[in-house]
Amino acid sequence: PKQVLWPSCKWSSKADFEILGYFWLPGGPQDCNSDLAMVSSHGIEIFRLSFEQKTWKSLKTFPSSVRICWLDPAASTVLLCTGTRTLQPFDFRRRNPKLPRFDLVLTRGHSIEPADVALVTIYDCSYCIHADGLTGKVSLRNVTNLEQGTPEHDIVIDISESDAPVGPLRLSVVDNLLIVHCLERMVALIFDIRHKERDIVPSLISPCTVTSHEGPLVIWDYLDGGIVLDASKGVVYQLRLDCGIILEDFLSRPPHELATVLKLLLRRTGCRDHIVQLLRQG
């Protein structure tokens, strides 16, 4: 029978101990060894596992009282919620992975919930994104660039046309484009955070109505990599963007400059034909 190799966490004997997440760290010393980051309700512990010798050892711990955690394994980044509105990021690509903590601005009487925050990579940077359905604002904080990770550098996107709450919001990232799903309104908006008009990040398209014959969108889980999970049906969807339709809608709302449109397309994958066609028309 195969031997199961499962490390024992430092805090596993505590009554309120709970494993919240785990992921492999890149750049192990040898192929037969791998480093595992385990996030629990008491903090983060790093283990080194030797598959050849079938042993493990604890390398380092980062004690903290954790309510919720968000993971970006591809970027070796973790975001811990340590209070009602306090977030503590870690970037395990750094020599000192613990980064400055910060507080989210919340409506009075509210605390951070798992669906309110996402940790995603856009243009090779890890962002903490706070989607506030009460205020209709989506705020992005760069958590891995210390020079950009301050309030004055935050990107704030206003998705509401009025002061009325927009309801629950969910987020996806496809081809470095941020997709905001407004569940109650059954619409999706698409944003390129590098495309700004008068310091405002506008939606690249008009609100796109989302129709589903499989059930309400609010019960779906929106995962990394543009994955949407309908657990009730046992179905997994992969989001894909049609840049031709996005470009057509974008060009239908002038004014726009050729250079701006070209930059937008050059940041996308598989848009060569659209770029050639645009240059011929221009």
Side-chain angles (χ1 to χ4, degrees):
K2 293 183 178 180
Q3 180 179 350
V4 177
L5 186 61
W6 186 253
S8 177
C9 187
K10 174 182 178 180
W11 307 288
S12 58
S13 61
K14 295 185 177 294
D16 57 348
F17 174 79
E18 180 183 0
I19 296 177
L20 303 177
Y22 51 87
F23 62 95
W24 297 106
L25 295 176
Q30 298 178 13
D31 292 339
C32 59
N33 294 337
S34 293
D35 293 347
L36 178 73
M38 182 182 295
V39 186
S40 74
S41 51
H42 288 268
I44 302 174
E45 188 164 3
I46 308 299
F47 298 93
R48 176 156 296 165
L49 280 66
S50 173
F51 298 105
E52 188 176 79
Q53 300 178 2
K54 296 181 174 58
T55 59
W56 59 266
K57 67 176 180 178
S58 176
L59 298 180
K60 197 168 185 178
T61 59
F62 300 88
S64 180
S65 179
V66 184
R67 290 180 53 234
I68 315 167
C69 78
W70 298 267
L71 309 178
D72 188 358
S76 300
T77 308
V78 182
L79 189 63
L80 306 182
C81 179
T82 60
T84 57
R85 63 190 186 98
T86 301
L87 296 175
Q88 173 67 68
F90 288 82
D91 182 355
F92 287 99
R93 296 168 297 186
R94 291 177 172 269
R95 187 177 184 87
N96 182 11
K98 190 174 183 179
L99 304 177
R101 66 181 182 179
F102 58 94
D103 292 336
L104 293 184
V105 178
L106 303 176
T107 305
R108 178 174 296 180
H110 287 76
S111 59
I112 300 173
E113 298 297 334
D116 297 338
V117 172
L119 182 64
V120 301
T121 297
I122 305 178
Y123 293 121
D124 298 324
C125 292
S126 292
Y127 287 91
C128 164
I129 307 182
H130 177 214
D132 191 339
L134 292 176
T135 63
K137 296 185 184 300
V138 174
S139 305
L140 294 84
R141 168 74 59 92
N142 190 326
V143 296
T144 53
N145 185 327
L146 299 183
E147 295 180 356
Q148 297 292 322
T150 53
E152 60 268 23
H153 291 101
D154 286 355
I155 301 172
V156 181
I157 301 173
D158 194 343
I159 63 169
S160 177
E161 298 178 353
S162 65
D163 294 332
V166 297
L169 303 173
R170 299 294 183 269
L171 305 169
S172 300
V173 174
V174 179
D175 199 12
N176 288 315
L177 293 176
L178 175 64
I179 306 174
V180 180
H181 309 272
C182 305
L183 303 187
E184 289 185 357
R185 299 184 180 184
M186 301 284 284
V187 299
L189 300 169
I190 302 176
F191 300 91
D192 182 347
I193 62 172
R194 289 188 176 178
H195 173 68
K196 296 183 179 181
E197 298 176 1
R198 298 183 297 276
D199 294 328
I200 296 175
V201 179
S203 177
L204 298 181
I205 62 171
S206 304
C208 177
T209 302
V210 180
T211 58
S212 170
H213 302 291
E214 303 296 331
L217 302 184
V218 70
I219 66 172
W220 289 359
D221 294 318
Y222 297 81
L223 309 178
D224 295 339
I227 302 294
V228 179
L229 171 65
D230 183 352
S232 64
K233 302 289 185 179
V235 179
V236 176
Y237 301 95
Q238 172 74 62
L239 294 179
R240 294 182 180 177
L241 297 177
D242 189 325
C243 285
I245 295 177
I246 295 175
L247 179 62
E248 181 180 351
D249 189 278
F250 184 77
L251 294 176
S252 68
R253 293 177 286 122
H256 53 265
E257 298 180 356
L258 179 61
T260 299
V261 181
L262 287 175
K263 289 178 181 178
L264 183 66
L265 292 175
L266 287 170
R267 292 194 288 265
R268 313 278 77 81
T269 58
C271 285
R272 179 180 177 181
D273 292 342
H274 297 299
I275 294 173
V276 172
Q277 183 179 0
L278 190 64
L279 289 173
R280 287 175 177 173
Q281 293 175 352

